[in-house]
Amino acid sequence: MMTNLQGKVALVTGGSRGAGRGIALELAKAGAYVYITGRSRGLSQEDRRKGTIDSVLDEIRAAGGEGEAVRCDHTRDSETEAVIRRISSEQGRLDILVNNVWGGNERSIASKPFWELPTDHWSHMFDAGVRAQLMTNYYAIPLMRSNREGGGIIIHTTYWDHYKYIDNFYYDLAKNALVRMAFGLSVELAADRIAVIPLSPGWMRTELVLESLNTDEEHWQDVAELHSSESTAYIGRAVVRLAADPEVLAMTGIPQQVGSLAEKYGFTDVDGRLVPVFKVPE
């Protein structure tokens, strides 16, 4: 399947690290012009070491890709609106929107009953997660609909395994809210031929995960817990295939898992493995 996205304009929110970084890099390698947003500018030296929107843009350009890094706090509607206004002014279009911004990991996700959890889990996961993605859609969709050629794709990165319970009440509620958001938008945007896909990765080797296990991307294979993990490029490759698929509307509104898409489209992770679908423990 052709994966040439030359001429397409993409926005990846929360693109400093983790899935956002992997998606932005893969989209740029496929030829898309990629805007990356995040709050990671003006940070401490230690935080900059972990990755920023500017370091990801440097990686994109080093790989021969094109894009721009725009500082944006997506909990501030005016900043989100300004990003879309800038894309409209500079490009006149937006073909690919990846809603990846997520504040839910700003505190540890504890496996405790709902009544024992801190109530500020709500603000981290819903204000800095669900609502931030909702408002990005609110400002971006009119620009996407104005494309005379029609079409386009919106992807919500989420966590889903056939509605099995994820072991934290707020996390489960927020991630399934994103699935339902995508479904509702898929109905409303069907006439515009804009596909809306909730996309779930597996056990990803994000910077946070690697740090928690005292390792890095060069040495992860030495850690037993990571043997079934996948790189952040894996979800990026899934996004590229979805964005390039002329039949993607057949999948609109339906939750997708990266491992299943790897089988469908025939791509592998950076180490050549076809990493199977991650299953939520029973």
Side-chain angles (χ1 to χ4, degrees):
M1 175 180 159
M2 294 294 291
T3 55
N4 184 358
L5 299 178
Q6 199 72 38
K8 302 295 185 182
V9 178
L11 168 60
V12 180
T13 67
S16 304
R17 310 177 186 114
R21 172 181 171 271
I23 293 168
L25 286 169
E26 293 299 318
L27 284 171
K29 289 175 185 177
Y33 191 99
V34 183
Y35 285 85
I36 316 155
T37 61
R39 295 175 296 178
S40 55
R41 185 174 282 161
L43 301 179
S44 68
Q45 184 64 39
E46 177 64 17
D47 284 334
R48 285 199 298 272
R49 183 185 62 78
K50 298 174 185 175
T52 68
I53 51 175
D54 297 307
S55 67
V56 176
L57 181 60
D58 288 342
E59 290 183 84
I60 284 174
R61 290 175 174 168
E66 294 183 289
E68 288 293 336
V70 186
R71 192 196 180 284
C72 177
D73 181 344
H74 284 277
T75 65
R76 299 172 183 260
D77 295 350
S78 60
E79 294 187 18
T80 302
E81 183 181 20
V83 170
I84 303 303
R85 203 164 49 237
R86 174 173 171 177
I87 295 172
S88 178
S89 173
E90 294 178 356
Q91 306 294 336
R93 64 187 294 158
L94 179 62
D95 305 283
I96 303 162
L97 170 59
V98 181
N99 271 304
N100 177 70
V101 61
W102 175 252
N105 290 341
E106 291 185 356
R107 68 179 307 148
S108 62
I109 302 174
S111 297
K112 294 181 179 179
F114 160 67
W115 51 90
E116 295 180 10
L117 292 171
T119 55
D120 64 355
H121 268 23
W122 175 273
S123 60
H124 288 305
M125 295 186 188
F126 277 82
D127 295 340
V130 177
R131 189 183 185 281
Q133 296 196 23
L134 177 75
M135 294 309 296
T136 304
N137 284 327
Y138 181 79
Y139 293 113
I141 284 172
L143 177 58
M144 297 185 75
R145 293 185 68 237
S146 70
N147 186 354
R148 294 179 181 178
E149 300 168 14
I153 186 168
I154 298 171
I155 291 174
H156 288 264
T157 59
T158 186
Y159 188 60
W160 178 89
D161 182 9
H162 301 85
Y163 301 102
K164 294 176 185 174
Y165 184 63
I166 306 167
D167 198 19
N168 177 286
F169 181 85
Y170 289 109
Y171 189 79
D172 182 273
L173 190 62
K175 290 300 185 179
N176 279 289
L178 295 175
V179 173
R180 192 64 185 176
M181 187 191 304
F183 175 75
L185 289 175
S186 75
V187 175
E188 297 202 349
L189 291 170
D192 296 289
R193 296 187 297 112
I194 297 173
V196 190
I197 308 286
L199 179 60
S200 180
W203 176 221
M204 274 193 306
R205 296 190 303 276
T206 63
E207 293 84 354
L208 187 63
V209 166
L210 291 169
E211 183 179 21
S212 71
L213 293 170
N214 298 310
T215 188
D216 54 33
E217 187 60 24
E218 286 69 46
H219 303 93
W220 67 268
Q221 291 176 321
D222 299 332
V223 181
E225 295 99 311
L226 293 173
H227 285 178
S228 61
S229 68
E230 59 198 51
S231 76
T232 58
Y234 203 42
I235 189 173
R237 293 175 179 184
V239 169
V240 168
R241 269 41 173 215
L242 289 169
D245 187 347
E247 306 298 326
V248 72
L249 273 174
M251 304 160 68
T252 191
I254 303 171
Q256 302 296 322
Q257 294 169 295
V258 171
S260 294
L261 293 178
E263 294 180 8
K264 173 183 173 69
Y265 291 121
F267 64 87
T268 61
D269 204 350
V270 291
D271 56 5
R273 291 181 305 143
L274 195 157
V275 186
V277 171
F278 180 81
K279 301 292 186 182
V280 172
E282 297 290 350

